Amino acid sequence: MVQAARQSGTADRRAVFELFPRRLPPGRRYGVVAGVGRALDAIEDFRFDAAALTALEGIVDPDMLEWLGSYRFSGDVWGYAEGEAYFPYSPLLVVEGTFAEAVLLETVLLSVYNHDSAIASAASRMTLAAGGRPCIEMGSRRTHEEAAVAAARAAYVAGFDASSNLAARARYGVPSTGTAAHSFTLLHDAEADAFRAQVQTLGVGTTLLVDTYDVAEAVRLAVEVAGTGLGAVRLDSGDLGEVAREVRAQLDGIGASATRIVVTSDLDEHAIAALAAAPVDAYGVGTQLVTGSGHPTCGFVYKLVAREDDTGELVSVAKKSTDKQSIGGRKYALRRRGPNGIAEAEVVGIGAPPEDDGDDRALLVPLVRDGEVVGHATLEEARARHRASVAELPRSVTMMSAGEPVIPTVHLGP
């Protein structure tokens, strides 16, 4: 496309692209934006080195290869800050530059946003269902090795407390935690030997896996080895609610009332919600989290919504196919809030910002200015933003049943 646009003299036309969802995944009431920081890193690093140019020989012409060799994005980007809630047609990212510069970012931006926001959206529902009990990301073995690191980061943005993925700690500072696997117990001649080795190495505050053989016997041995100060036990099979009640009674009966119970085993937000009344202290979540709990992508698209005409004016353009329509024009967005601070609508202005009535909150922030990234934020800032964004949504956001978006999206303008 870029080579053809260069030949037609249109490649350098000013263009505005928008990354947005046409809808939420079926039944979801809101989504969560994640991957903003990773996307900004990708824009900074987007280069065609010698190896890439060699691979493109014969695909594009020599003039195009020369242009790619000097490629640097020099435009502007605005977007929803990381951790923010989103709704249908929320303009999550607005990219303005020449057509050639901006269109080349389409795949990398969609790849990052679709994956990370799917994980964060699932993680947010899980942390809501957990009701303040800690959630631990444990899904690295259920996805691509690089996706695993990104998933741990996205889950942390959306409220998870830690991850078992150490690369996420090294790259992004995500707190790490984990427990021993069944193989560690099976390695030893006796279960007590495995517990003893773990406690001697990691201290009595460690978490012992107690369902390799007989749960009740393992709990007894765990407390015998570690004492009543044992940090936690982990349950990974069976009727988790019933087993947790039995283990809680046993622990209390032998004086280990401070020992926590951690549960794992293919949990999703519905299973977590079902355990709300059980004596569970923390949840370890793997497969369902890193696959978006049934929705591994958000369906985001990246569309040209405005471009420069022959007179130098910016004009709206839009795709008009029946079931995949876009809305043309440069977008601005705010969260319409009532006097009580509760969100009432996602208001998207076309061509001009919507008017703030005094209770509202602007959503688009500058991310890139003249090619320079200006919107980097810390993960802690993103976590705080997520908490605040979800807290201002209507109470129905906590419902795990399928439903419509908790607030409507309203477009204003031509």
Side-chain angles (χ1 to χ4, degrees):
M1 287 192 293
V2 173
Q3 180 171 300
R6 282 169 52 81
Q7 291 174 347
S8 70
T10 57
D12 292 332
R13 280 183 172 177
R14 187 159 59 104
V16 179
F17 283 84
E18 181 184 328
L19 187 151
F20 65 93
R22 291 191 175 96
R23 60 191 66 85
L24 295 176
R28 289 282 176 89
R29 298 172 185 266
Y30 71 105
V32 175
V33 180
V36 178
R38 292 208 311 122
L40 294 179
D41 290 342
I43 291 174
E44 284 186 315
D45 295 339
F46 201 93
R47 304 285 188 271
F48 291 84
D49 61 14
L53 294 173
T54 298
L56 289 171
E57 290 178 356
I59 297 175
V60 296
D61 63 30
D63 286 342
M64 183 66 187
L65 285 174
E66 184 178 354
W67 184 87
L68 290 174
S70 62
Y71 175 86
R72 301 291 186 275
F73 180 73
S74 63
D76 300 320
V77 180
W78 298 264
Y80 281 36
E82 191 146 24
E84 185 65 74
Y86 75 84
F87 298 92
Y89 285 98
S90 292
L92 304 184
L93 208 60
V94 176
V95 180
E96 184 169 354
T98 67
F99 174 83
E101 284 189 2
V103 76
L104 282 184
L105 298 177
E106 177 174 359
T107 297
V108 68
L109 292 177
L110 284 175
S111 177
V112 171
Y113 269 72
N114 268 310
H115 174 268
D116 289 25
S117 297
I119 305 306
S121 297
S124 182
R125 284 164 56 86
M126 292 172 182
T127 54
L128 277 180
R133 298 172 180 176
C135 292
I136 306 163
E137 187 279 313
M138 294 182 166
S140 294
R141 306 175 208 181
R142 299 294 189 266
T143 189
H144 185 279
E145 62 270 21
E146 285 300 317
V149 186
R153 181 188 181 280
Y156 186 62
V157 166
F160 269 58
D161 292 84
S163 170
S164 63
N165 187 296
L166 292 172
R169 178 190 184 98
R171 293 188 199 176
Y172 303 116
V174 176
S176 54
T177 191
T179 67
H182 290 98
S183 60
F184 181 74
T185 301
L186 295 169
L187 170 69
H188 291 80
D189 295 333
E191 195 168 29
D193 294 339
F195 291 166
R196 193 171 295 110
Q198 184 173 332
V199 169
Q200 288 174 348
T201 303
L202 299 175
V204 297
T206 192
T207 299
L208 297 178
L209 178 60
V210 295
D211 70 346
T212 305
Y213 304 116
D214 177 83
V215 172
E217 176 62 11
V219 170
R220 185 190 69 78
L221 288 171
V223 175
E224 180 180 288
V225 168
T228 56
L230 174 63
V233 295
R234 176 164 75 100
L235 303 173
D236 188 52
S237 57
D239 183 334
L240 294 175
E242 182 59 30
V243 176
R245 281 185 280 271
E246 293 173 356
V247 169
R248 180 76 273 156
Q250 184 181 2
L251 288 169
D252 292 346
I254 56 181
S257 57
T259 299
R260 296 172 297 117
I261 298 175
V262 179
V263 298
T264 55
S265 186
D266 289 331
L267 298 176
D268 62 10
E269 61 267 47
H270 304 290
I272 292 171
L275 290 167
V280 172
D281 298 289
Y283 305 93
V285 190
T287 302
Q288 293 302 317
L289 175 62
V290 298
T291 57
S293 195
H295 300 291
T297 181
C298 296
F300 296 156
V301 294
Y302 185 83
K303 298 298 178 185
L304 182 68
V305 295
R307 55 94 173 168
E308 185 180 9
D309 66 11
D310 291 336
T311 69
E313 294 294 317
L314 202 60
V315 297
S316 298
V317 295
K319 181 179 178 180
K320 296 296 184 182
S321 60
T322 304
D323 60 344
K324 289 187 176 182
Q325 291 190 10
S326 302
I327 299 173
R330 167 63 156 91
K331 310 299 192 311
Y332 304 83
L334 60 77
R335 186 78 31 87
R336 180 79 74 206
R337 298 187 294 186
N340 59 359
I342 300 301
E344 298 176 344
E346 190 89 337
V347 182
V348 179
I350 304 173
E355 185 177 350
D356 184 345
D357 65 9
D359 298 311
D360 304 333
R361 183 166 62 84
L363 295 170
L364 289 171
V365 300
L367 298 175
V368 179
R369 185 177 294 119
D370 296 328
E372 297 297 322
V373 172
V374 296
H376 272 307
T378 68
L379 285 188
E380 296 306 321
E381 289 171 331
R383 281 168 63 81
R385 185 177 300 107
H386 171 258
R387 289 192 297 269
S389 180
V390 173
E392 74 180 11
L393 298 177
R395 184 176 299 179
S396 57
V397 75
T398 63
M399 298 175 66
M400 292 297 111
S401 58
E404 296 299 314
V406 293
I407 58 174
T409 301
V410 178
H411 286 90
L412 300 177

